[in-house]
Amino acid sequence: MMEKGLSEKQVLKELKNYKKLDCSYSSGKILGSMCTEPHPFAKKVYYEFLTTNLGDPGLFRGTSILEKETIQMLSSLLNAEKAYGNIVTGGTEANLMAMRAARNISNIEKPEIIVPASAHFSFNKASEILNLKLKIAKLDEEYKVNVESVKDKITSNTVAIVGIAGTTELGKVDPIPELSKLCEDENIYLHVDAAFGGFVIPFLKDIGYKLPDFDFKLGGVSSITIDPHKMGLVPVPAGGILFRKKEYIDVQSVYTPYLTEERQSTIVGTRTGASVAATWAMLKYMGREGYRKVVRECMETTKFLAKKISKIGLDLITKPELNIVAFDPGDTYEVAKKLENLGWLVSVSKNLDAIRIVVMPHITKDHVKKFIEDLEDVI
Ligand code: 0PR
């Protein structure tokens, strides 16, 4: 650290050089990310609430009310009259809290969780941190979890089953109604990871897409992850965790000896209220209608992209269900490298040996057209 500080101008100049190395969503070249350019209004609100800390909610009573109202709005989006939860740092913290709830409520000595083979790696973290034995259920030919395989893995030590509504790699929606029935019958905690799909599926259903129920409408669902910083257009970090019952929060809360709140259940202590305010503002400002429009456009671009990929003779791994397209480009790594040299940042799925494109709102049909031209050249 230097003895004497620089001027703002000098510091900004240096920062600019680093920023230049970053990619921008607006270029349309980021094709493999589940994040996008936040809505300008969300950015503005985020800045307004930059000094808030919900780790000490008694100091920020207004922002604390905003969190309760945000959870209430998300509950209603997910078909619960009332649910309990927090706006957290993202899907990882949300999934961690869900697994913590399931483990703590069960009081089982050697707890196990069953997750689909398509589960996000946050469950590997949860397994290690919370000392949960991870059991991997097989997928069917449509890359959705095979419920029979889940059933086979249940033991007296099972504390949770996880279903995914919008898998990370392919955007597939697991048969959550069947998982819900199974969990009700077996009295097992069911967590639905809708980190990505939570801000997509309800709006696609609104416009007539046939997708399974995945939310609190189903009696067996105990908790849901839904991330505003993915398809919700809110700046990072903004994840959401919702629990059907308050006791799921209570079993993981710890006593806080000197704060303005008695107990705390989030993993993160000092945490920004800016994410909360930005999420609250976006839900109010967009309404269902606003998000429907975003999601409709993403799906139209998705179908456009899928068609173009087939037209140039490449195989899709599976028919896209949400706004994610994966295809086999031949030599995956070679093609991805060549695309990168042309500025396209795609994601490579090692499991599927495929290129995966997440059609986020920053990707337009014009970007797709240019991408396909380059892809055709490269292959
Ligand atoms: N659950 C699902 C279904 C996810 O897809 C993800 C992240 C998580 C949980 C974890 O969420 P957080 O990363 O918010 O903790 N899915 C993306 C992925 O791993 C995250 C991502 C976002 C990756 C933007 C790259 C990127 O540029 O692919």
Side-chain angles (χ1 to χ4, degrees):
M1 195 172 174
M2 298 175 304
E3 179 57 33
K4 202 167 152 30
L6 303 174
S7 69
E8 279 189 16
K9 207 173 154 195
Q10 280 170 308
V11 174
L12 287 173
K13 192 172 158 235
E14 282 190 33
L15 282 173
K16 216 171 166 180
N17 288 332
Y18 289 98
K19 187 97 197 290
K20 265 195 236 151
L21 301 175
D22 289 352
C23 300
S24 76
Y25 294 109
S26 60
S27 69
K29 297 249 171 173
I30 300 182
L31 299 179
S33 172
M34 281 195 166
C35 291
T36 190
E37 183 66 28
H39 193 287
F41 183 51
K43 289 200 248 183
K44 194 168 155 198
V45 172
Y46 192 98
Y47 184 74
E48 293 283 318
F49 282 76
L50 214 50
T51 49
T52 60
N53 166 24
L54 285 177
D56 204 355
L59 305 184
F60 300 97
R61 297 217 175 113
T63 309
S64 184
I65 295 170
L66 286 179
E67 184 173 37
K68 290 194 174 67
E69 291 190 6
T70 305
I71 293 303
Q72 194 47 45
M73 284 189 274
L74 290 176
S75 304
S76 114
L77 176 67
L78 299 174
N79 284 306
E81 214 165 277
K82 183 161 177 53
Y84 307 83
N86 294 98
I87 294 303
V88 293
T89 51
T92 301
E93 189 184 355
N95 288 340
L96 213 54
M97 281 178 72
M99 295 302 99
R100 196 161 165 231
R103 184 196 68 172
N104 290 6
I105 205 124
S106 73
N107 246 328
I108 284 173
E109 215 177 297
K110 291 185 169 168
E112 304 174 355
I113 58 172
I114 304 171
V115 310
S118 52
H120 184 259
F121 54 78
S122 47
F123 291 100
N124 297 66
K125 296 183 186 175
S127 152
E128 191 198 284
I129 295 169
L130 299 168
N131 211 4
L132 303 165
K133 183 167 178 196
L134 195 61
K135 293 195 147 181
I136 314 281
K138 291 197 185 96
L139 306 184
D140 64 18
E141 61 289 347
E142 277 191 77
Y143 300 93
K144 299 174 182 216
V145 78
N146 178 322
V147 180
E148 285 306 313
S149 171
V150 173
K151 249 186 221 168
D152 288 346
K153 304 234 161 347
I154 296 176
T155 70
S156 56
N157 287 330
T158 307
V159 298
I161 289 174
V162 173
I164 311 166
T167 59
T168 307
E169 292 187 288
L170 292 171
K172 289 284 166 174
V173 185
D174 282 334
I176 311 292
E178 284 83 345
L179 291 178
S180 168
K181 166 98 185 30
L182 176 65
C183 287
E184 272 183 304
D185 292 348
E186 302 281 336
N187 195 24
I188 297 174
Y189 185 107
L190 174 61
H191 174 63
V192 176
D193 183 357
F196 183 71
F199 270 94
V200 181
I201 301 166
F203 309 118
L204 284 182
K205 276 161 115 46
D206 278 357
I207 57 174
Y209 279 74
K210 296 268 173 288
L211 289 160
D213 286 334
F214 73 103
D215 60 22
F216 291 116
K217 196 192 259 181
L218 304 167
V221 174
S222 301
S223 55
I224 304 178
T225 291
I226 172 170
D227 284 357
H229 73 198
K230 294 189 169 75
M231 286 291 288
L233 309 180
V234 174
V236 174
I241 178 68
L242 271 77
F243 295 99
R244 183 184 289 276
K245 298 184 198 156
K246 187 171 170 293
E247 58 182 311
Y248 293 138
I249 297 234
D250 295 341
V251 288
Q252 62 185 308
S253 70
V254 299
Y255 174 57
T256 55
Y258 47 78
L259 294 182
T260 51
E261 67 179 346
E262 253 313 275
R263 308 187 66 85
Q264 191 174 90
S265 53
T266 50
I267 305 217
V268 170
T270 300
R271 62 189 179 100
T272 181
S275 305
V276 168
T279 306
W280 185 94
M282 283 311 283
L283 292 171
K284 289 270 181 189
Y285 173 79
M286 298 286 284
R288 276 190 101 101
E289 193 188 24
Y291 280 118
R292 241 184 340 250
K293 189 165 175 286
V294 170
V295 165
R296 182 194 297 255
E297 277 171 21
C298 287
M299 277 316 282
E300 274 168 18
T301 312
T302 301
K303 286 189 228 159
F304 182 72
L305 170 66
K307 222 183 207 167
K308 292 265 180 206
I309 287 172
S310 303
K311 225 172 171 177
I312 61 170
L314 297 180
D315 289 333
L316 298 180
I317 301 298
T318 174
K319 186 168 182 261
E321 200 167 10
L322 306 184
N323 44 324
I324 299 179
V325 179
F327 62 96
D328 175 3
D331 190 336
T332 309
Y333 288 91
E334 181 77 20
V335 173
K337 188 83 215 135
K338 285 186 178 162
L339 287 170
E340 194 182 333
N341 291 339
L342 295 170
W344 298 106
L345 297 148
V346 295
S347 151
V348 167
S349 162
K350 295 181 192 79
N351 289 332
L352 302 161
D353 191 13
I355 286 182
R356 157 184 171 265
I357 296 187
V358 190
V359 187
M360 295 300 287
H362 60 267
I363 301 171
T364 64
K365 282 190 182 164
D366 278 339
H367 295 132
V368 169
K369 280 184 203 154
K370 289 193 190 107
F371 171 70
I372 292 289
E373 278 171 26
D374 282 348
L375 177 63
E376 214 174 354
D377 282 349
V378 160
I379 57 165

